[in-house]
Amino acid sequence: MGIKQQSKGRVPLVPGANPAGEATMRAVVQHRYGPPEVLELSEVEKPHPGRGDVLVRVSAASVHPGDYFIMTGEPYMVRLVFGLRRPRHGIPGRDLAGTVAAVGKDVTALRPGDEVFGWSAAGTLAEYACVPAENLVSVPSNVPSLSAAAVPTSGLTALQALRKIANVQPGQTVLITGASGGVGSYAVQIAKAFGAEVTGVCSTRNVDLVGALGADHVIDYTRTDFTRTEKRYDVILDNVEAQPLAAVRRALTPTGTLIPNSGHGGRWLGPLGRIIKARVLSGFTRQQLKPFTSIGKRQDLLTLAELLTTGQLTPVIDRNYPLDEAADALRYVGAGHTRGKVVITI
Ligand SMILES: NC(=O)c1ccc[n+]([C@@H]2O[C@H](COP(=O)([O-])OP(=O)(O)OC[C@H]3O[C@@H](n4cnc5c(N)ncnc54)[C@H](OP(=O)(O)O)[C@@H]3O)[C@@H](O)[C@H]2O)c1
């Protein structure tokens, strides 16, 4: 099922509003929090780049669980950040790839025609997006735009978790749960690129995929509970949190690092309960319990671009939806069984 088509949008239309041509564009909009049915395909005003901005003609945008939480407004604590009564930015989506259509006065590093990828807080499920220039880097020549669009948020999360938070070193043992998902599929490849011995945890249908991503060992969680084996890991990146914190800690070395990285939890606070528990516990153990929030950081996106260029990182694209089926894409992401990434082509 696609999304509601609006003849002309509720967002005001301003003719002749920007330097790159037409005044309006097609965009997915939402005027209230709720299930995927709240999404509408509308004709809206095309954004106008400010001095430091780039107007990108979007070719592809990827969606991830965070986009689902922002669409539904649950856990409710997301509303403190994204708007109390309705989403502050009417257009969903954060990650994108596309072609530079116009640049603001202060932008010198990019020119119209350049192929770029990156992130924008102002929404990317649209034909055009206005993006601060520092949120964009060039798409490596060996990478299709569709794949580049799948990288930013999930890739940055995996990279920052393994490099900045866990400081993974060659030879260390790293276990990644949700190894078949958006973050996990990048984390397996990045941990391998860092020289770690990687164990991926996934369901039976994804065992071959996680092995193909480079995992040295694959644990099928339908058959084996990794918290009940003798094996201990230097680093655990827990993208699923299917087991209690105490059980996951049993699989960690006495001074190992655990990153609880799930956005799930109760309807009000989401992961906050587990985050607080992990922070309190870390004061009483030599194990490092380090929940974190990934950030958009250009230098890290350049690292990911480098890994894409060298072939050490290859996005896994699970499904590809057209813009008018964005609701289906988010419904699928919300179900939590994604294999790699879900992309919307525009
Ligand atoms: N800290 C941050 O700033 C940050 C940033 C981004 C994302 N996140 C969070 O990171 C988590 C993962 O995100 P994602 O984009 O990777 O999610 P995703 O794409 O939905 O992937 C989840 C994966 O986990 C697998 N899975 C389900 N149950 C499992 C289990 N018991 N053991 C192992 N794997 C299991 C699923 O496949 P099967 O169902 O087939 O097994 C699926 O492939 C989310 O909770 C998200 O909110 C945090």
Side-chain angles (χ1 to χ4, degrees):
M1 192 174 65
I3 55 186
K4 286 186 249 175
Q5 303 269 342
Q6 300 284 309
S7 53
K8 285 287 174 189
R10 295 178 190 166
V11 181
L13 305 177
V14 180
N18 72 65
E22 324 87 55
T24 63
M25 64 175 185
R26 284 187 319 140
V28 173
V29 297
Q30 81 173 102
H31 301 286
R32 59 187 172 92
Y33 290 117
E37 288 71 24
V38 301
L39 301 181
E40 298 173 355
L41 187 63
S42 274
E43 194 75 21
V44 304
E45 181 187 344
K46 207 156 92 176
H48 184 90
R51 296 178 72 106
D53 294 336
V54 173
L55 182 68
V56 179
R57 182 172 175 83
V58 183
S59 54
S62 65
V63 284
H64 62 99
D67 296 312
Y68 187 83
F69 302 143
I70 296 168
M71 178 189 72
T72 58
E74 290 184 24
Y76 294 126
M77 71 171 194
V78 305
R79 301 184 188 208
L80 295 176
V81 179
F82 294 98
L84 282 181
R85 301 187 54 182
R86 63 181 69 85
R88 194 167 293 124
H89 299 292
I91 299 176
R94 177 175 161 87
D95 297 346
L96 87 170
T99 310
V100 173
V103 297
K105 277 190 187 135
D106 295 346
V107 179
T108 51
L110 292 168
R111 286 180 307 189
D114 288 349
E115 296 291 322
V116 290
F117 72 118
W119 72 95
S120 167
T124 56
L125 301 190
E127 288 177 311
Y128 290 87
C130 230
V131 188
E134 67 266 19
N135 294 7
L136 295 169
V137 307
S138 296
V139 175
S141 58
N142 59 329
V143 178
S145 173
L146 184 96
S147 298
V151 173
T153 300
S154 302
L156 289 171
T157 304
L159 177 66
Q160 290 166 6
L162 296 170
R163 187 166 69 173
K164 184 176 164 215
I165 308 296
N167 189 23
V168 169
Q169 298 297 314
Q172 283 193 314
T173 50
V174 176
L175 178 129
I176 296 159
T177 70
S180 53
V183 174
S185 59
Y186 290 122
V188 168
Q189 298 178 76
I190 292 169
K192 278 307 293 177
F194 289 170
E197 182 183 329
V198 179
T199 301
V201 182
C202 61
S203 59
T204 312
R205 71 185 182 118
N206 291 320
V207 166
D208 289 347
L209 168 72
V210 173
L213 291 173
D216 301 286
H217 316 280
V218 183
I219 296 176
D220 176 347
Y221 68 78
T222 67
R223 291 160 197 248
T224 307
D225 178 348
F226 76 89
T227 67
R228 294 185 181 278
T229 71
E230 295 300 307
K231 180 81 184 157
R232 299 288 174 266
Y233 301 89
D234 297 311
V235 174
I236 297 178
L237 173 58
D238 188 3
N239 294 305
V240 181
E241 298 180 356
Q243 289 94 343
L245 211 52
V248 180
R249 282 181 55 208
R250 277 204 303 270
L252 205 58
T253 58
T255 55
T257 301
L258 164 62
I259 304 174
N261 188 44
S262 169
H264 303 290
R267 207 169 178 193
W268 285 89
L269 296 178
L272 203 59
R274 191 150 165 135
I275 288 172
I276 293 169
K277 201 170 175 184
R279 291 247 182 258
V280 171
L281 261 173
S282 61
F284 299 92
T285 168
R286 288 193 299 144
Q287 291 176 329
Q288 308 286 312
L289 311 181
K290 295 184 167 178
F292 88 115
T293 303
S294 65
I295 52 169
K297 194 170 167 205
R298 180 185 166 75
Q299 201 53 43
D300 288 346
L301 195 59
L302 284 167
T303 301
L304 293 170
E306 182 62 29
L307 290 169
L308 289 166
T309 303
T310 57
Q312 289 167 290
L313 193 66
T314 304
V316 175
I317 308 299
D318 180 356
R319 292 189 181 184
N320 178 9
Y321 293 84
L323 189 62
D324 63 357
E325 291 177 15
D328 292 337
L330 278 152
R331 192 174 293 112
Y332 181 63
V333 165
H337 303 295
T338 309
R339 304 177 83 216
K341 293 291 300 176
V342 172
V343 177
I344 292 167
T345 42
I346 296 144

